[in-house]
Amino acid sequence: MEGANQAQAAADFEVAIVGSGPAGLSAAGRAQFHDAQNGLTAPSYVLLEGFNAPAKTIQQYQKGKHVMAEPGFLDLRSDFDFQAGTRESILGEWQTSLEAQGVNIRYGADVTQVSRQGDVFQLACADGSRLTARSVILAMGTAGNPRKLGVDGENLPQIQYQLDDPDAYSDEVIVVVGAGDAAIENAIALSHHNEVVIVNRRDEFSRAKDGNLNAVLAAINDPKNKFSCLYETNVLRVEENAEGDIPITIWFETPDGEKAVPCHRVIARLGGIPPRKFVESIGVEFPNARPDAVPELSSTYESNVPGVYVIGALAGCPLIKQAMNQGHDVIEFIRGNLIKPADHPLLEYQFHMMPFMREVDELLELFQQRIPMFRELNTLNFRELIIESNVLVSYAEGPMHQEAQTKLDTLLGQLQDKDPQPRTARIIEEGAYLYQQGDYATSFFTIVEGEVIIEDGHGEVLRTLGRGEFFGEGSLISGQARKETARAGSGCILIESPRRTMVKLMNSNEEVRAGIDWIFIVRELQRHFAPEATFQQLRDIAQNTPIREFKAGEVVYRQGEDGASMHLMRSGSVNLSRSTDDGPPVLVAELRAGELFGQMSLMGDPSRRESAVASVASETIEIDRTQFLALIELNEAGVASLQQQVSSQALALSQMEVRTESTGVMQFLMNNGLGEATDALLIDERLCVGCDNCEKACAETHDGISRLDRSAGPSFAYIHIPISCRHCEHPHCMKDCPPNAINRGLDGEVFIDDTCIGCGNCEANCPYDVIKMSYPAPKKPGLFSWMLFGRGDGPGEVEGFEPDDTAKASGKRAVKCDACMNQPGGPACVAACPTGAAKRLSPEQFIRLVD
């Protein structure tokens, strides 16, 4: 005890907090609260900041930046206030609180070393000062180490990795690289006086807060703005211009090939690199060598070094509100008060229906350990995943199910006044369908407990999945309808994650993406080549079958060249065409996700008989000769079936080749984007009389606004493609819909629900111009009033109607064809056609059409 007292006396402070960002400030505020409560005259803690002001990262935000208080579902715990507002107002409030509370902060104290000496830590600062503390909280963040472009020219003087004052620039062309919140905010602020191009290496802004997502989409879609976006684009290099007024040119790799953008400057906002070397010098361990890895921490934020705690962005928690909550809580933990995290009630609602009684943290640990793919996530990311997902619990039909449903109904009654409404678990019966073959859905399932039975369309069991496995990845990746049926087995607990959550997770975590990709390959190989093979037997083969990506128009292989591999479509579509001696290439097939092509190169004829070209951005699984032979060894009986498939495909291709008129029509359809359609409206011009009944019926079915334009659109031979939704496999309109208002029905209909906010992003994203923004149409007199008394304008849309004040107040909303999904008679446009000229067709019916 005497030695302990001496050690305690030797420590200058109980807690040293390194970094005064949101997490560090909140920790210091909580420590000061306890000092005041205990009547201490000398502070028990110290807040060390290397800068000359608190919250250096916030200080370096652009002037006037609006700082959002996300996530909205989370309550704030801190002795410092934080609400959405400008950078200046937030910093001012924090400075006032620092002074009012008397927080013990030292500026210019840049910590360079932390070492253990007995029972205390010694901290050395750059100015030569030293101090000791029993516990150390690392809250430095990552913003001080910006990630660079990683290409030639990244250090040119016109390349910036920080933006202080957007108003300092005017009449320039500025490229902003990045798709996170900082990049979006910089780009929007700069666009007030400059022409701005924002570069996103993905096809949507999956990491942005809702407010920033809404803002950037509005900017992109506003024709008055000189603001554009390059999606699916990577930086190749930056070059200085030898002459002219524009100093540099930045080169990109885009889906359409290389693109050069001359500009005055580049603002690269690619996030920060954690100060890993410093953290590791303390002894703190990281789980892997990835640059963005975060230390492994306990539930109290303690690292593997006892007494060293990590919070904020350095712990993988970049949002201000979350970081402040951690700062508050870590002081409580150090003091021995094991309080529950702020999101604890939300998780309690999610876990309320579990068939066994355990604490939230126990269940989270149990869930994460049982699902290998999610073990790679840090605790915070996994908690967010659960909050954004649905938890499904199955009960056998009978008293237990009824009791569980009663319990859930009681909870829902207690939560009905909460806004926003928290998620709760869903009760399902054992044996219930989770989805059926042919359903269009993109949610992703993981199994925590129990079994899920996977069947074919005839009810035959294909396989049984158990704890830790996942399913539903095929439709998530390909956009196609479910290829199998899934039923809840006995005692199953499932996590159902929505598409947007999974896209965000896959984009931010390579281990999760790799795991899903690997399982997708295994299951496709199993389905096509070796249905009886186990995952273990297919493991090595799957690891040696790469995923190939092709841009729209990119050649997969050319006719006449020797081939040594075959391809299995993963997503998108590929056109096969054959060249002739006396004319242009002839389209002989259009292939989609789940189909094989190029098999002949591995089955007797290495010379390619046709050229394969991606009609839209596509992905394939490439299988070389070695892997193909390994698959055959697993299922020698399947060789005859493969040979039959190749023979049938060769015959079909040859038949199409000699049908010149048919192939011309198919080429026309593919050239106009029907390669990604699932339900397209086509009109036979030999039968169409131009009555426009289709348009009128559409308007009458949809509250006075037509979803199609019959006369517009391209024609070839006798086929006309009007302006109407094709219900794409991977709907362009769904990307970056802020409120997730665009959904897919079980039969594939893409529709917009009542949560649409009118941002216009879907209209801009649709390459086929089938979405329009419109005010609600005025009410018209009934049909009989028009027929008998001539009141109103009759059936159809009232052209150029003037919205009333109520409609103007509600604003424009996006409208598009929904294939009349709720109409018993099916699509009104087809039903109203008096001659049968209008048909809605799926791609499988295109061949019959042209024949």
Side-chain angles (χ1 to χ4, degrees):
M1 177 66 80
E2 182 179 351
N5 290 335
Q6 290 176 351
Q8 184 173 2
D12 299 318
F13 301 99
E14 287 296 315
V15 180
I17 305 161
V18 183
S20 69
L25 280 177
S26 188
R30 197 62 190 164
Q32 177 61 33
F33 168 82
H34 283 294
D35 279 4
Q37 289 285 97
N38 294 327
L40 298 184
T41 56
S44 67
Y45 69 95
V46 63
L47 176 58
L48 303 172
E49 171 56 58
F51 195 50
N52 59 8
K56 179 181 178 181
T57 298
I58 314 297
Q59 298 278 358
Q60 292 180 338
Y61 281 177
Q62 66 192 38
K63 292 182 180 179
K65 167 183 164 65
H66 180 75
V67 182
M68 286 176 282
E70 296 290 337
F73 60 77
L74 195 64
D75 293 331
L76 176 69
R77 285 181 179 169
S78 180
D79 296 272
F80 281 76
D81 191 27
F82 172 60
Q83 299 179 17
T86 65
R87 155 192 175 266
E88 289 77 9
S89 65
I90 290 168
L91 288 172
E93 289 177 3
W94 286 351
Q95 185 64 52
T96 300
S97 293
L98 272 170
E99 296 168 1
Q101 295 178 39
V103 170
N104 182 34
I105 183 170
R106 294 185 187 177
Y107 297 113
D110 185 13
V111 178
T112 58
Q113 185 180 26
V114 177
S115 57
R116 182 188 289 277
Q117 294 190 350
D119 293 335
V120 300
F121 293 94
Q122 184 175 92
L123 291 82
C125 297
D127 61 3
S129 63
R130 294 176 180 272
L131 58 92
T132 56
R134 292 193 165 281
S135 299
V136 176
I137 299 173
L138 301 179
M140 305 101 66
T142 63
N145 306 282
R147 183 173 282 110
K148 294 194 173 184
L149 289 172
V151 300
D152 290 343
E154 66 176 10
N155 293 317
L156 288 172
Q158 296 85 4
I159 310 298
Q160 300 174 207
Y161 297 94
Q162 182 69 41
L163 177 65
D164 296 326
D165 184 3
D167 291 333
Y169 309 105
S170 61
D171 300 321
E172 291 188 352
V173 177
I174 300 177
V175 173
V176 177
V177 181
D181 292 306
I184 291 170
E185 290 158 0
N186 286 178
I188 291 173
L190 288 165
S191 68
H192 297 156
H193 305 293
N194 303 277
E195 179 179 344
V196 173
V197 179
I198 187 169
V199 179
N200 186 348
R201 69 188 180 98
R202 304 291 186 185
D203 60 356
E204 52 190 301
F205 292 92
S206 59
R207 295 184 291 114
K209 300 186 187 82
D210 287 345
N212 280 333
L213 178 59
N214 295 344
V216 72
L217 299 181
I220 293 170
N221 298 324
D222 188 345
K224 299 190 296 293
N225 283 353
K226 291 183 178 180
F227 192 107
S228 59
C229 178
L230 294 176
Y231 288 101
E232 299 181 84
T233 294
N234 292 300
V235 179
L236 293 175
R237 61 190 179 277
V238 186
E239 299 174 346
E240 289 186 283
N241 297 331
E243 54 186 35
D245 297 331
I246 298 184
I248 59 173
T249 295
I250 182 168
W251 289 82
F252 300 108
E253 180 185 15
T254 77
D256 299 321
E258 285 196 13
K259 180 181 178 67
V261 177
C263 60
H264 293 86
R265 70 187 66 251
V266 173
I267 312 290
R269 303 308 306 269
L270 304 173
I273 301 173
R276 181 164 178 158
K277 186 176 180 180
F278 169 75
V279 176
E280 286 180 324
S281 72
I282 305 172
V284 176
E285 296 175 354
F286 288 75
N288 54 59
R290 285 180 49 190
D292 58 350
V294 298
E296 292 184 338
L297 305 173
S298 72
S299 60
T300 61
Y301 312 130
E302 190 171 21
S303 71
N304 61 286
V305 178
V308 176
Y309 299 79
V310 183
I311 59 174
L314 190 59
C317 183
L319 297 181
I320 293 175
K321 190 189 292 186
Q322 293 171 328
M324 294 181 76
N325 283 350
Q326 286 189 341
H328 171 281
D329 292 354
V330 73
I331 293 296
E332 297 296 333
F333 295 151
I334 290 173
R335 294 178 59 84
N337 183 12
L338 299 180
I339 61 174
K340 303 297 184 185
D343 61 9
H344 187 83
L346 300 176
L347 291 164
E348 279 190 318
Y349 301 142
Q350 289 278 64
F351 294 148
H352 190 67
M353 304 311 301
M354 291 296 104
F356 37 81
M357 298 299 294
R358 292 199 186 185
E359 289 294 320
V360 165
D361 288 342
E362 288 183 275
L363 286 172
L364 282 169
E365 184 177 357
L366 176 69
F367 277 34
Q368 195 163 8
Q369 288 303 311
R370 288 189 174 180
I371 303 172
M373 181 178 63
F374 291 152
R375 292 174 193 164
E376 300 296 334
L377 303 182
N378 64 42
T379 302
L380 176 69
N381 289 342
F382 187 65
R383 295 174 81 98
E384 286 184 349
L385 173 73
I386 296 297
I387 289 172
E388 293 176 3
S389 301
N390 290 316
V391 176
L392 281 63
V393 185
S394 74
Y395 287 90
E397 185 178 4
M400 289 186 65
H401 183 275
Q402 294 173 357
E403 181 182 345
Q405 189 62 56
T406 300
K407 184 179 177 182
L408 178 59
D409 291 341
T410 301
L411 176 63
L412 292 173
Q414 296 170 353
L415 300 177
Q416 63 180 354
D417 295 330
K418 283 189 173 290
D419 186 26
Q421 190 80 19
R423 291 179 187 267
T424 61
R426 284 170 44 198
I427 301 298
I428 57 175
E429 288 186 0
E430 291 181 6
Y433 289 112
L434 302 167
Y435 56 74
Q436 298 191 56
Q437 185 182 63
D439 288 351
Y440 276 91
T442 56
S443 55
F444 180 85
F445 294 84
T446 46
I447 305 174
V448 178
E449 185 66 62
E451 296 179 341
V452 169
I453 298 95
I454 305 297
E455 303 173 343
D456 63 15
H458 305 290
E460 182 178 344
V461 176
L462 300 175
R463 59 186 177 276
T464 299
L465 304 179
R467 177 193 298 177
E469 295 189 89
F470 58 82
F471 58 100
E473 78 288 343
S475 295
L476 174 72
I477 292 171
S478 72
Q480 289 193 325
R482 303 288 195 189
K483 289 185 171 62
E484 301 160 337
T485 293
R487 284 194 300 109
S490 60
C492 70
I493 301 173
L494 309 173
I495 302 172
E496 181 185 12
S497 303
R499 173 188 174 276
R500 187 171 179 187
T501 296
M502 290 308 301
V503 168
K504 179 171 65 174
L505 182 58
M506 291 169 69
N507 286 346
S508 62
N509 191 297
E510 289 301 322
E511 283 85 359
V512 171
R513 174 182 287 276
I516 292 175
D517 284 345
W518 184 80
I519 289 294
F520 181 91
I521 293 172
V522 168
R523 287 178 177 161
E524 286 297 286
L525 295 178
Q526 199 174 44
R527 187 163 66 90
H528 285 274
F529 300 99
E532 303 299 324
T534 65
F535 273 28
Q536 288 71 25
Q537 291 173 311
L538 291 168
R539 179 186 300 274
D540 292 339
I541 299 174
Q543 289 176 341
N544 290 286
T545 48
I547 295 171
R548 298 281 308 279
E549 297 181 359
F550 299 94
K551 304 180 183 69
E554 187 174 353
V555 175
V556 181
Y557 57 73
R558 298 184 187 278
Q559 182 177 338
E561 66 184 21
D562 285 346
S565 64
M566 63 191 297
H567 293 262
L568 171 56
M569 288 296 301
R570 169 178 153 108
S571 65
S573 66
V574 164
N575 292 341
L576 301 184
S577 61
R578 290 183 176 175
S579 298
T580 59
D581 295 332
D582 55 355
V586 174
L587 180 70
V588 293
E590 185 263 337
L591 305 173
R592 295 189 167 218
E595 297 188 83
L596 292 165
F597 64 101
Q599 307 98 302
M600 285 297 294
S601 68
L602 302 180
M603 299 181 70
D605 187 359
S607 180
R608 300 291 193 188
R609 296 188 178 187
E610 59 278 322
S611 293
V613 179
S615 58
V616 296
S618 303
E619 293 180 338
T620 73
I621 300 169
E622 187 173 21
I623 305 165
D624 65 20
R625 188 177 303 279
T626 301
Q627 308 313 320
F628 176 69
L629 293 175
L631 287 167
I632 296 303
E633 287 182 6
L634 293 175
N635 183 27
E636 293 183 4
V639 174
S641 175
L642 284 171
Q643 290 174 332
Q644 179 61 45
Q645 290 177 25
V646 171
S647 176
S648 299
Q649 187 181 69
L651 178 61
L653 297 183
S654 298
Q655 289 174 339
M656 282 296 294
E657 184 178 9
V658 298
R659 299 174 185 169
T660 55
E661 182 179 354
S662 296
T663 56
V665 173
M666 280 294 292
Q667 187 71 63
F668 161 71
L669 296 176
M670 296 304 105
N671 288 346
N672 283 280
L674 269 70
E676 57 180 340
T678 66
D679 184 10
L681 177 64
L682 300 179
I683 294 177
D684 187 335
E685 291 186 324
R686 298 173 300 183
L687 301 176
C688 180
V689 295
C691 64
D692 281 335
N693 278 4
C694 52
E695 283 194 36
K696 295 173 184 176
C698 181
E700 291 301 305
T701 309
H702 295 96
D703 300 319
I705 300 176
S706 176
R707 265 72 166 160
L708 76 93
D709 186 341
R710 178 199 60 80
S711 60
S715 298
F716 178 83
Y718 56 88
I719 301 297
H720 176 63
I721 307 175
I723 302 298
S724 178
C725 183
R726 294 101 177 280
H727 304 275
C728 300
E729 280 189 340
H730 268 303
H732 302 269
C733 55
M734 276 189 177
K735 294 185 295 189
D736 282 338
C737 176
N740 285 328
I742 305 179
N743 303 280
R744 187 146 219 168
L746 291 181
D747 292 327
E749 311 94 339
V750 180
F751 65 95
I752 303 174
D753 66 28
D754 293 337
T755 62
C756 172
I757 60 175
C759 69
N761 191 52
C762 55
E763 180 187 34
N765 276 343
C766 176
Y768 307 115
D769 200 28
V770 304
I771 302 178
K772 63 182 178 182
M773 307 302 294
S774 177
Y775 290 110
K779 296 293 184 182
K780 296 189 299 184
L783 179 63
F784 286 108
S785 294
W786 170 72
M787 292 176 63
L788 298 177
F789 307 109
R791 295 174 181 166
D793 296 278
E797 185 172 292
V798 179
E799 292 187 15
F801 67 81
E802 182 65 27
D804 58 25
D805 291 341
T806 302
K808 288 181 179 178
S810 67
K812 290 185 176 182
R813 295 292 185 268
V815 294
K816 66 175 288 296
C817 162
D818 59 3
C820 294
M821 57 186 294
N822 297 318
Q823 299 300 314
C829 54
V830 175
C833 181
T835 63
K839 299 287 185 185
R840 295 204 72 97
L841 302 176
S842 65
E844 295 76 14
Q845 298 169 301
F846 290 165
I847 294 293
R848 279 188 283 166
L849 167 73
V850 300
D851 279 347

